[in-house]
Amino acid sequence: MQNDWITPAEQSRFHTTPSYGETRAYLERLAAAAPRTIHLTRFGVSPEGRDLILVVAAKDGEFTPEAARASGKEIVLVQSGIHAGEIEGKDAGLMLLRDIGVGGKHADLLDHAILVYLPIFNVDGHENSNAYNRINQNGPDKMGFRVTAQNLNLNRDYTKADAPEMRAWLAMFTAWMPDLFMDIHTTDGADYQYDLTWYLEDWGPLHPAVKAWQNEAFKKSIFPAFDAMGHMQSPYLDLVDHRDITKGVGNFGSGPRFSTGYVALRNRAALLVETHMLKPYEVRVRATFDLIVATLRYINAHPGTLRKAVTQADADTVTRAKSSDAELPLAFKTTETPIPLTLKGYAFSQTASDISGDTWVTYDPKTPKTYEVPFFRDLLPVESVQLPAAYVVPAAWPQIIEKLEQHGVRFERLAHSQAMHVERYRLANPVWADKPFEGRHLVTEFSATLETVSVDIPAGSIVVPMDQPAANVVANLLEPRAPDSLLRWGFLDASFEQKEFADARVSEKLAREMLAKDPALKAAFDAKIAADPAFAKDPAARLAFFYERSHWFETQRVGAYPVLRLDAAGLAAVRTGR
Ligand SMILES: [Zn+2]
């Protein structure tokens, strides 16, 4: 290999990592030198005006999503720099693309695979570079910042998609529908021997065929091969107690707002990679490099197996809509029954700290020590939903329709208004978070009951059938109780609000009329006064008791969740226009 293909990080002996401009220039030079194999494209623009670069490496010039899919080769998307300070993936990717494009090495990795490589997702955060951005991390000398120029963490934005970068990503993902997604990060937290830890989406609604492939590929083959290359890996170590590694490891649980949790909802295999922040930058880059190589080697040795699994997952998701009792788990909790885990850590000591008043933990990397610890690995569903045949989003909520469009969801638009029997959630007792999270005030608590109602749906409303591969995304956006539903993220706050209020003068009269007609109501009122002192002392609440139980209140539809559910008969009626 000629010297002028040394990557910027190699040139600096891994003390530095190249800027966006240097990275782009290197990739443009590489694409120009290897035009049959390496292709540079863009999939969007950041708020500060930087192109979001994507590199496609393919042996036979399959540089478009259509050509890639038609080739039958498996498409692997490797993402780096969603947290821009955690940037091993970028420098590993430059080395690998160089080896493939002009280095005469690793070309066989593209025999049955197409590598789609996202060098820097959070481009604006990457250019917000500083020596002090990652206090826990050992190099490079300067690195980018965790969040975007809009102060948004892209790895919490996968469902709400507030960031322009995320909206661009969703369109890119929908176009490519990669079979496997790898998201490269660096840890924070404890010290231990492993240079890399990982997380697989084994517990959510990911299809069993894809889970089985992940298990077979990663756990039985790729990770052992990676170890044989001189590394040490482990499942992601989410310590139960940061003061005492021996208390064991939990399961952080991911979820739809996270990259791999979202990709699992799209029926695709996903691996979260976390290199260990205290290992030197070179060790972390080489670990990332070797893991990508080991993964591509496996895919090339088992061509078609992953595509078969994801195709099965898509087909079964479509077919599931025919069943009237299909359930989808939405939320999970960690098991209380652990399995044993052998953890290759370091000796550690605990000292009483006069600074924190708590225990001060120090690890001794010179003294490797193996611990047998409990691993609270499994996640159990705590919230499930019976899926409808379709959802209806009324025309008055274009922000919801737009969100579904951004997620590549298929829907049908009503040309005419239509009367329908639907299921509608009645929501009550909402509680909002007192502080913003990712720019929004989450609805943290509420109650939801389903009711059946007849409604007139206006023209321009949309019907979202569940017989589509993205159905799990649809349910996670639109089912109010889903952990990252659009309701929870505050897109539908207005539906909780009461807009008309009765004057006391009018309520006094109304209350007397209602009490005269309804002895049960009087009993309920008396009981509430006896049981609820705050209510008993609140004149407005006592009058509202009657207003809220009158026809005058019903018209306001307070808490009527605008997104509606259709059963199979309802969907058929919509489609025949009856
Ligand atoms: Zn990260």
Side-chain angles (χ1 to χ4, degrees):
M1 192 195 315
Q2 295 160 331
N3 250 358
D4 57 355
W5 287 111
I6 288 177
T7 69
E10 288 171 321
Q11 186 75 48
S12 75
R13 297 207 188 101
F14 296 91
H15 282 290
T16 63
T17 190
S19 69
Y20 171 84
E22 290 164 335
T23 305
R24 183 173 184 162
Y26 186 92
L27 287 167
E28 281 171 346
R29 199 158 61 87
L30 188 59
R36 291 164 182 280
T37 323
I38 311 279
H39 178 74
L40 212 60
T41 179
R42 58 186 278 287
F43 64 95
V45 183
S46 74
E48 288 186 337
R50 296 181 181 91
D51 285 339
L52 297 168
I53 304 278
L54 199 65
V55 184
V56 185
K59 203 170 206 172
D60 302 306
E62 304 98 331
F63 295 141
T64 64
E66 298 73 27
R69 181 129 344 98
S71 74
K73 296 174 189 172
E74 266 128 348
I75 303 168
V76 178
L77 171 61
V78 176
Q79 171 168 298
S80 174
I82 186 172
H83 293 149
E86 309 167 16
I87 203 62
E88 298 81 353
K90 175 190 68 184
D91 288 313
L94 293 186
M95 290 158 61
L96 181 58
L97 290 169
R98 177 266 323 273
D99 285 359
I100 291 172
V102 296
K105 278 199 283 186
H106 297 308
D108 58 324
L109 296 179
L110 300 181
D111 285 349
H112 301 285
I114 290 166
L115 174 61
V116 181
Y117 161 67
L118 203 182
I120 312 168
F121 185 9
N122 175 13
V123 284
D124 293 345
H126 186 272
E127 295 310 278
N128 178 10
S129 180
N130 199 290
Y132 298 100
N133 275 345
R134 292 269 298 159
I135 188 170
N136 299 322
Q137 186 170 304
N138 179 10
D141 291 349
K142 289 183 183 175
M143 71 277 288
F145 194 56
R146 183 172 181 82
V147 299
T148 69
Q150 298 177 323
N151 220 28
L152 292 174
N153 182 344
L154 292 172
N155 206 25
R156 304 295 182 271
D157 200 39
Y158 274 87
T159 52
K160 66 185 172 69
D162 281 332
E165 295 94 326
M166 184 55 69
R167 296 201 280 269
W169 189 98
L170 290 171
M172 179 275 288
F173 187 87
T174 300
W176 282 94
M177 284 310 292
D179 301 285
L180 170 64
F181 169 72
M182 297 171 75
D183 193 23
I184 317 288
H185 293 249
T186 317
T187 60
D188 291 301
D191 199 4
Y192 40 71
Q193 298 175 47
Y194 306 108
D195 51 4
L196 184 146
T197 60
W198 49 264
Y199 187 82
L200 284 166
E201 296 291 334
D202 279 335
W203 312 104
L206 182 61
H207 189 278
V210 183
K211 281 183 196 171
W213 184 89
Q214 292 186 164
N215 203 45
E216 196 65 31
F218 283 107
K219 293 181 192 166
K220 295 196 184 156
S221 195
I222 296 165
F223 295 145
F226 176 73
D227 288 341
M229 294 158 103
H231 299 282
M232 286 176 76
Q233 50 70 38
S234 149
Y236 183 68
L237 297 172
D238 184 21
L239 296 192
V240 170
D241 182 346
H242 74 93
R243 293 163 296 196
D244 185 353
I245 204 164
T246 66
K247 296 254 176 76
V249 175
N251 183 338
F252 93 107
S254 174
R257 71 181 65 166
F258 294 92
S259 62
T260 55
Y262 177 77
V263 167
L265 292 181
R266 302 285 302 254
N267 293 331
R268 293 300 180 269
L271 180 76
L272 173 70
V273 176
E274 297 268 358
T275 70
H276 187 235
M277 80 278 177
L278 292 175
K279 303 294 181 283
Y281 189 56
E282 178 171 3
V283 171
R284 282 151 40 208
V285 172
R286 295 200 185 282
T288 306
F289 181 99
D290 286 346
L291 184 65
I292 297 169
V293 168
T295 302
L296 290 172
R297 270 189 196 143
Y298 180 89
I299 284 174
N300 277 284
H302 304 79
T305 57
L306 176 55
R307 178 63 59 84
K308 188 167 171 236
V310 302
T311 304
Q312 181 73 49
D314 280 349
D316 287 351
T317 305
V318 172
T319 310
R320 182 184 62 189
K322 289 202 179 80
S323 155
S324 59
D325 59 355
E327 282 214 349
L328 184 72
L330 295 174
F332 299 82
K333 66 165 188 181
T334 309
T335 179
E336 287 167 15
T337 314
I339 58 164
L341 177 74
T342 301
L343 196 163
K344 292 179 176 165
Y346 296 125
F348 70 98
S349 62
Q350 298 173 316
T351 315
S353 166
D354 54 351
I355 305 281
S356 71
D358 196 356
T359 305
W360 172 23
V361 177
T362 46
Y363 294 94
D364 175 11
K366 293 197 184 72
T367 314
K369 192 168 170 183
T370 299
Y371 301 93
E372 300 296 329
V373 303
F375 184 13
F376 300 88
R377 183 195 62 175
D378 299 2
L379 297 178
L380 312 168
V382 287
E383 178 90 46
S384 293
V385 69
Q386 196 132 21
L387 294 173
Y391 292 89
V392 176
V393 183
W397 294 87
Q399 61 270 55
I400 306 300
I401 298 172
E402 183 186 40
K403 212 37 75 179
L404 293 166
E405 266 175 333
Q406 289 164 4
H407 282 274
V409 168
R410 174 171 60 82
F411 53 75
E412 300 155 25
R413 206 175 274 272
L414 293 181
H416 307 285
S417 69
Q418 210 163 332
M420 292 183 200
H421 291 292
V422 297
E423 285 183 320
R424 182 172 69 189
Y425 285 105
R426 178 69 67 170
L427 309 177
N429 309 316
V431 178
W432 280 268
D434 58 352
K435 287 190 188 135
F437 175 67
E438 294 303 317
R440 289 177 172 273
H441 288 260
L442 282 158
V443 187
T444 54
E445 285 173 44
F446 59 91
S447 61
T449 46
L450 261 185
E451 56 191 16
T452 305
V453 290
S454 293
V455 286
D456 283 318
I457 307 291
S461 301
I462 63 158
V463 175
V464 189
M466 290 297 273
D467 58 351
Q468 58 177 308
N472 290 343
V473 172
V474 174
N476 272 277
L477 295 175
L478 299 183
E479 279 298 329
R481 302 194 67 85
D484 285 309
S485 69
L486 297 177
L487 178 98
R488 285 198 193 269
W489 281 111
F491 285 81
L492 292 126
D493 279 358
S495 61
F496 286 109
E497 295 178 32
Q498 181 177 343
K499 301 296 189 181
E500 283 276 4
F501 298 85
D503 277 346
R505 166 183 65 79
V506 176
S507 294
E508 291 281 1
K509 183 162 171 278
L510 175 70
R512 281 169 179 76
E513 285 168 6
M514 290 171 74
L515 287 168
K517 271 190 240 162
D518 188 349
L521 183 68
K522 175 153 179 29
F525 182 59
D526 292 344
K528 190 154 174 70
I529 285 178
D532 186 345
F535 175 77
K537 272 189 261 169
D538 184 342
R542 289 170 64 141
L543 291 176
F545 179 89
F546 296 95
Y547 176 62
E548 285 168 9
R549 285 160 179 77
S550 75
H551 294 304
W552 301 97
F553 187 75
E554 276 167 27
T555 59
Q556 298 202 37
R557 294 183 299 181
V558 177
Y561 182 56
V563 179
L564 309 166
R565 293 162 49 101
L566 279 182
D567 63 14
L571 177 59
V574 169
R575 283 177 165 164
T576 55
R578 278 182 292 121

